């Protein structure tokens, strides 16, 4: 009798494919990426004999460390033929007692010194020799780098204070529903024309963030970078907090103070590329330009003038994963916003790509090594601290980016909704106020994958850089300089004040996970950001935040700041705000009216610049509604046309009553928005 073989069972589709039928044609590619990460995870953990967190302890082995009896220094320099430590302790001369020894075939070098050989504050470098050359280098794993004020030369620094910083807040649980992020930069966080410090930020800016109601700091430019004007994105020393802002202890004290106030702290983590500098960075550490970076044409980023990591090398994965763990464990950061994820995902770095359909995400132009690394990084971060969270700065819309690994995703907790600021810029630039369409606004703000959380924002630091304009400046332009004193506002100023509030309100209240604001934009900071450079005479005039403007009650800025604070308080007053779906109640593009609900809140917008409406009706659940926020209130620089103390009762309609609904009729002034809360029965 002939035996009939059963067909092999078809592999079960991953959840992200089951949830999105449009991904079905690419299920094999998605499964392949998932299996790639699983394979690499097994390899790095030796089949589960150790954890990924154990693998990511490179910062405890490499670099300079003081033990009870001695100093130990190690670095990975596979192409080196000779390595000597030079510094203050050797009068910057090469001495035999400071020469490293190669300790393995993998290219690791080591030096052990007596405890009295080095002292806290000593400056040092490596003198590295290779076939055909040599150079002074800053160690790849060093945790402190300083710049000489006179020569501008960077050096590593021995950092071993007598009393290491002890965190007062031992365990911290971030508030994430919703996540309200205050994006900030330490150096430009002060009013004075200089580089600010961690301590100044803790003493002067953190209290503002607390009072404003944000629950998360996102700090830029932490990793050491040679050029201040790079905004921290051309990193040279990945394990060193920038010394231009102060000491590591002062950074820890800032994070500790934020935690004590209930505020999470994440850092803008740069692992998508590295600075090209050879003396300060990793560009040519030991005579091999591709030690950390891709070979050939892929080594240099064509748009950023930087170098691209080789995410296929286990040594590079070790370096970068250890970098993640170091910032979490040593400084108690609560997570990361990963910069430049799009650049990592694609061979083209996303440059010139249209991303018009799903096929563009699975056409073989993706860097599977980078995808695997990002997946491992998310697994590691959540293993080290299950409360930590990650955000991907990603513009292409790659499916699965912010979906759990077990579902077939890459494991980010959130992705930046980068379409939203572009939408606002395009709308303000290209459309008359009379042509703004509420339907388009709501669609753009809520157009996101159902299985991925997003961070919405009107503008970030990107929109404030020199050569661009913030939203307030696009709306008012130079009239801000002449008509922003109370009583002296002209039509442009009135328009800008009104729309600035409405744009923020509609963006912040349609979020799918979190909301972000860049430092100072909440009160309409009037100028762009321009870091000190040769072209501006190395001036700090535009690399600061003018807090005096919002503090001056004679100026209009405080109206915007006050509104921002009340808007966040409203969002936080609705428990589990971001878990409530955005339920559209009504839109009419002709009238320019939009209404939607979240939980017990009803949001009503009139984008018309000229038409006010009396008794404009909406079908809502029957009951009483109280005004809880109005952009047109005099306290926020509005006209105060409506009486917000009046309780609004729904009008009975026999046809709607069976559905438990009635008509809510409102007076809606032109260019204004009002939020109402249904009163509890």
């Amino acid at each position: 009798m002939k035996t009939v073989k059963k067909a092999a069972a078809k592999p079960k589709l991953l959840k992200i494919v089951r949830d999105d039928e449009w991904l079905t044609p690419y299920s094999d590619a998605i499964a392949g990426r998932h299996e790639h990460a699983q394979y690499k995870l097994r390899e790095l953990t030796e089949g589960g004999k150790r954890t990924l967190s154990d693998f990511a302890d490179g910062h405890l082995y490499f670099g300079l460390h003081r033990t009870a009896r001695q100093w130990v220094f190690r670095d990975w320099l596979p192409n080196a033929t000779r390595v000597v430590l030079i510094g203050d302790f050797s009068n910057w001369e090469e001495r035999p007692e400071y020469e490293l020894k190669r300790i393995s075939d993998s290219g690791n070098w080591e030096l052990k010194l007596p405890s009295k050989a080095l002292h806290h504050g000593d400056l040092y470098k490596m003198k590295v020799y290779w076939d055909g050359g040599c150079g002074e280098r800053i160690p790849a794993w060093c945790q402190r780098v300083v710049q000489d004020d006179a020569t501008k030369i960077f050096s590593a620094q021995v950092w071993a204070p007598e009393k290491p910083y002890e965190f007062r807040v031992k365990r911290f649980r971030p508030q994430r529903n919703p996540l309200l992020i205050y994006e900030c930069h330490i150096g430009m966080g002060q009013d004075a024309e200089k580089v600010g410090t961690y301590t100044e930020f803790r003493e002067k800016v953190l209290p503002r963030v607390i009072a404003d109601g944000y629950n998360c700091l996102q700090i830029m430019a932490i990793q050491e970078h040679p050029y201040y004007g790079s905004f921290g994105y051309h990193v040279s020393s990945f394990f060193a907090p920038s010394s231009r802002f102060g000491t590591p202890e002062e950074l820890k004290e800032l994070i500790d103070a934020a935690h004590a106030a209930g505020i999470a702290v994440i850092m803008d983590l740069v692992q998508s590329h590295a600075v090209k500098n050879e003396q300060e960075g990793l560009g040519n550490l030991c005579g091999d330009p591709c030690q950390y970076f891709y070979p050939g044409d892929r080594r240099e980023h064509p748009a950023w003038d930087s170098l691209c990591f080789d995410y296929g090398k286990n040594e590079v994965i070790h370096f970068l994963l250890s970098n993640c763990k170091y910032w979490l464990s040593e400084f108690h950061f609560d997570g990361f916003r990963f910069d430049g994820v799009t650049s990592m995902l694609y061979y083209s770095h996303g440059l010139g790509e249209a991303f018009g359909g799903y096929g563009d995400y699975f056409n073989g132009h993706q860097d599977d090594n980078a995808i695997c690394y990002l997946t491992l990084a998310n697994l590691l971060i959540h293993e080290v601290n299950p409360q930590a969270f990650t955000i991907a700065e990603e513009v292409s819309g790659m499916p699965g980016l912010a979906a759990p690994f077990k579902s077939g995703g890459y494991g980010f907790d959130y992705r930046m909704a980068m379409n939203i600021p572009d939408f606002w810029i395009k709308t303000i630039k290209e459309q008359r106020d009379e042509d703004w369409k509420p339907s388009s606004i709501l669609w753009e703000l809520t157009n996101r994958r159902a299985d991925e959380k997003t961070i919405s924002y009107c503008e970030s630091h990107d929109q404030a850089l020199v050569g661009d304009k913030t939203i307030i400046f696009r709306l008012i332009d130079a009239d801000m300089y002449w008509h922003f004193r109370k009583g002296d506002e002209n039509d442009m100023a009135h328009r800008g004040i009104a729309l600035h509030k409405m744009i923020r309100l509609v963006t912040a209240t349609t979020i799918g996970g979190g909301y972000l604001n860049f430092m100072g934009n909440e009160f309409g900071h009037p100028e762009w950001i321009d870091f000190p450079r040769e072209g501006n005479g190395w001036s700090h005039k535009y690399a600061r935040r003018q807090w005096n403007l919002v503090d001056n009650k004679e100026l209009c800025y405080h109206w915007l700041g006050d509104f921002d604070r009340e808007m966040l308080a409203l969002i936080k007053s609705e428990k589990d705000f971001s878990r409530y779906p955005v339920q559209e109640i009504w839109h009419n593009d002709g009238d320019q009216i939009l209404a939607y609900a979240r939980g017990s809140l009803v949001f009503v917008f009139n984008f018309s610049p000229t038409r006010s409406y009396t008794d404009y009706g909406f079908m809502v659940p029957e009951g009483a509604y109280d005004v809880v926020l109005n952009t047109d209130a005099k306290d926020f620089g509005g006209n105060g046309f409506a009486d917000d103390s009046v309780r609004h009762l729904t009008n009975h309609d026999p046809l709607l009553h069976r559905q438990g609904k009635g008509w809510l009729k409102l007076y809606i002034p032109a260019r204004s928005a009002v939020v109402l809360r249904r009163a509890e029965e």
Side-chain angles (χ1 to χ4, degrees):
M1 185 174 177
K2 190 175 181 181
T3 303
V4 179
K5 291 184 178 180
K6 289 184 179 180
K10 217 175 175 184
K12 188 178 180 181
L13 294 175
L14 290 162
K15 188 174 185 300
I16 64 168
V17 180
R18 298 199 306 270
D19 290 347
D20 184 353
E21 64 179 15
W22 293 96
L23 288 175
T24 303
Y26 314 104
S27 59
D28 289 345
I30 293 170
R33 293 174 184 178
H34 189 73
E35 290 164 6
H36 183 184
Q38 289 178 317
Y39 168 82
K40 184 59 69 173
L41 179 63
R42 289 193 297 270
E43 179 186 355
L44 300 181
T45 61
E46 299 176 3
K49 293 180 181 178
R50 59 177 177 174
T51 66
L52 193 58
S53 179
D54 293 333
F55 172 78
D57 275 338
H59 56 290
L60 301 178
Y61 180 80
F62 290 108
L64 180 65
H65 300 280
R66 182 173 64 181
T67 68
R69 297 182 178 179
Q70 64 183 353
W71 292 93
V72 181
F73 174 78
R74 300 185 186 94
D75 212 320
W76 175 56
L77 304 161
N79 200 52
T81 57
R82 180 170 173 257
V83 185
V84 185
L85 216 61
I86 58 174
D88 292 337
F89 43 82
S90 68
N91 199 28
W92 293 94
E93 297 173 352
E94 295 181 37
R95 295 182 182 174
E97 61 266 36
Y98 296 106
E99 188 164 338
L100 280 69
K101 295 180 180 179
R102 184 186 285 269
I103 59 172
S104 71
D105 293 337
S106 62
N108 295 338
W109 293 72
E110 180 182 79
L111 173 65
K112 294 182 179 180
L113 293 168
S115 58
K116 294 183 179 180
L118 305 177
H119 301 89
H120 175 66
D122 284 349
L123 302 180
Y124 69 98
K125 290 185 179 182
M126 300 184 300
K127 186 68 174 290
V128 184
Y129 289 83
W130 57 84
D131 289 337
C134 68
E136 294 183 0
R137 297 290 185 263
I138 291 177
W141 297 79
C142 71
Q143 298 176 10
R144 173 75 172 171
V145 175
V146 295
Q147 184 179 28
D148 185 272
D149 291 335
T151 65
K152 304 302 180 184
I153 293 175
F154 286 86
S155 300
Q157 186 176 41
V158 176
W159 199 255
E162 290 277 336
K163 294 182 179 180
Y165 185 83
E166 291 190 18
F167 284 90
R168 301 190 307 278
V169 180
K170 304 299 182 182
R171 294 183 179 179
F172 179 74
R173 188 182 183 92
Q175 306 168 44
R176 290 172 53 184
N177 192 28
L179 192 60
L180 303 171
I181 302 173
Y182 199 79
E183 184 187 32
C184 57
H185 184 282
I186 300 296
M188 59 177 290
Q190 78 303 310
D191 218 316
E193 295 184 28
K194 66 182 185 69
V195 178
T197 67
Y198 298 121
T199 299
E200 288 174 326
F201 193 96
R202 173 175 55 82
E203 294 175 345
K204 299 178 180 179
V205 183
L206 182 59
R208 294 179 182 274
V209 179
I210 296 169
D212 286 347
Y214 291 89
N215 58 26
C216 178
L217 281 177
Q218 178 180 304
I219 308 181
M220 307 174 64
I222 292 295
Q223 296 163 291
E224 192 59 85
H225 45 291
Y227 180 45
Y228 185 47
S230 75
F231 230 140
Y233 290 121
H234 275 192
V235 173
S236 53
S237 296
F238 286 77
F239 290 84
S242 182
S243 60
R244 57 170 56 87
F245 308 136
T247 67
E249 288 67 38
E250 289 165 343
L251 172 57
K252 292 176 182 178
E253 190 174 8
L254 165 58
I255 295 171
D256 207 11
H259 285 169
I263 295 178
V265 186
I266 63 174
M267 68 177 284
D268 210 339
L269 186 70
V270 181
Q271 295 189 341
S272 50
H273 61 139
V275 73
K276 292 170 72 173
N277 300 33
E278 295 187 356
Q279 291 190 6
E280 294 90 359
L282 307 175
N284 188 18
L285 200 62
C286 61
D288 178 6
C290 299
Q291 178 183 349
Y292 282 93
F293 308 105
Y294 277 124
D297 294 341
R298 296 187 62 196
R299 181 174 181 267
E300 296 192 15
H301 196 292
W304 294 350
D305 192 33
S306 55
L307 304 178
C308 302
F309 284 108
D310 184 345
Y311 304 102
K313 277 187 178 179
N314 283 358
E315 295 87 351
V316 174
I317 295 174
H318 185 227
F319 180 81
L320 295 176
L321 287 181
S322 298
N323 190 234
C324 294
K325 184 175 179 180
Y326 167 75
W327 293 110
L328 292 172
S329 56
E330 182 67 22
F331 289 87
H332 291 199
F333 278 102
D334 299 294
F336 307 101
R337 177 260 201 190
F338 276 71
D339 174 68
V341 170
T342 304
S343 177
M344 298 171 68
L345 294 178
Y346 302 94
Y347 295 141
S348 67
H349 306 293
L351 301 174
E353 300 272 5
F355 300 113
Y358 276 18
D360 294 333
Y361 306 123
F362 306 99
N363 57 9
H365 298 170
Q366 293 73 37
D367 186 342
D368 285 348
N369 290 332
I371 291 172
C372 179
Y373 169 71
L374 289 170
T375 305
L376 293 174
N378 279 296
L379 289 173
L380 168 78
I381 290 162
H382 294 100
E383 180 183 321
V384 173
N385 180 4
Q387 298 300 324
F389 54 93
T390 56
I391 304 170
E393 189 222 17
E394 207 284 308
V395 71
S396 77
M398 171 70 77
L401 192 68
F405 175 63
K406 64 181 180 181
S407 300
Y410 306 161
F412 283 97
D413 294 283
Y414 305 89
R415 65 190 309 157
M416 302 291 290
M418 299 183 72
N419 60 302
I420 294 177
D422 290 343
F423 168 77
W424 285 123
I425 290 171
K426 185 178 179 65
T427 299
I428 296 170
K429 280 178 63 175
E430 300 179 7
Q431 292 188 17
R432 301 181 309 155
D433 293 2
E434 294 84 353
D435 297 329
W436 287 24
K437 290 182 171 55
S439 60
S440 298
I441 291 172
L442 186 62
W443 185 88
E444 196 71 42
L445 297 180
T446 57
N447 178 27
R448 49 184 174 251
R449 298 184 62 82
D451 59 344
E452 299 188 33
K453 293 180 181 178
T454 58
I455 303 296
S456 299
Y457 60 109
C458 314
E459 52 188 345
S460 66
H461 71 275
D462 284 328
Q463 287 73 43
L465 293 172
V466 63
D468 208 338
K469 291 181 179 180
T470 59
I471 283 178
I472 196 69
F473 218 81
R474 289 186 184 280
L475 293 169
I476 304 177
D477 214 88
D479 283 351
M480 286 197 72
Y481 296 122
W482 313 110
H483 297 285
F484 233 58
R485 182 172 292 276
K486 288 182 180 178
D488 193 33
E489 310 97 306
N490 62 4
D491 289 343
M492 286 291 286
H494 281 300
R495 168 184 181 261
I497 290 170
L499 288 177
H500 193 269
K501 292 177 290 186
M502 294 180 71
I503 288 170
R504 268 163 170 66
L505 182 63
V506 72
T507 303
T509 57
T510 53
I511 56 174
Y515 172 73
L516 177 142
N517 166 71
F518 178 67
M519 176 175 65
N521 284 357
E522 71 275 11
F523 66 83
H525 200 281
E527 293 164 343
W528 56 37
I529 301 164
D530 189 9
F531 281 88
R533 56 186 173 85
E534 188 175 1
N536 64 16
W538 302 103
S539 170
H540 288 81
K541 182 177 180 181
Y542 298 106
R544 61 191 179 114
R545 296 285 89 177
Q546 299 181 61
W547 304 109
N548 64 91
L549 296 176
V550 70
D551 291 341
N552 188 340
K553 301 302 181 182
E554 295 182 0
L555 302 179
C556 300
Y557 298 97
H558 87 87
W559 281 332
L560 302 179
D562 292 346
F563 176 79
D564 192 77
R565 182 176 61 253
E566 294 303 316
M567 177 183 75
L568 298 188
L570 171 69
I571 291 172
K572 292 195 292 186
S573 72
E574 189 75 5
K575 189 178 180 182
D576 296 337
F577 178 84
S578 60
R579 292 179 186 168
Y580 288 108
V582 178
Q583 296 180 314
E584 183 177 357
I585 296 172
W586 175 257
H587 80 260
N588 186 304
D589 288 343
D591 294 341
Q592 294 185 277
I593 295 289
L594 172 66
Y596 54 88
R598 292 194 89 159
S600 65
L601 299 174
V602 174
F603 303 85
V604 180
F605 293 80
N606 179 4
F607 287 98
S608 172
T610 57
R611 291 174 294 171
S612 299
Y613 299 96
T614 303
D615 290 336
Y616 204 103
F618 305 97
M619 288 185 292
V620 298
E622 285 185 314
Y625 290 80
D626 299 315
V627 174
V628 288
L629 188 65
N630 193 335
T631 65
D632 196 46
K634 289 187 175 181
D635 288 345
F636 308 133
N639 297 305
F641 285 149
D643 184 354
D644 292 338
S645 66
V646 173
R647 170 168 281 190
H648 298 269
L649 304 177
T650 53
N651 294 345
H652 178 76
D653 185 323
L655 296 177
L656 297 178
H657 181 65
R658 293 179 182 178
Q659 306 173 39
K661 291 185 177 182
W663 287 100
L664 178 65
K665 295 194 173 182
L666 302 173
Y667 168 54
I668 320 172
R671 203 178 269 149
S672 73
V674 62
V675 187
L676 305 100
R677 173 176 276 124
R678 187 185 181 196
E680 294 183 4
E681 297 179 359

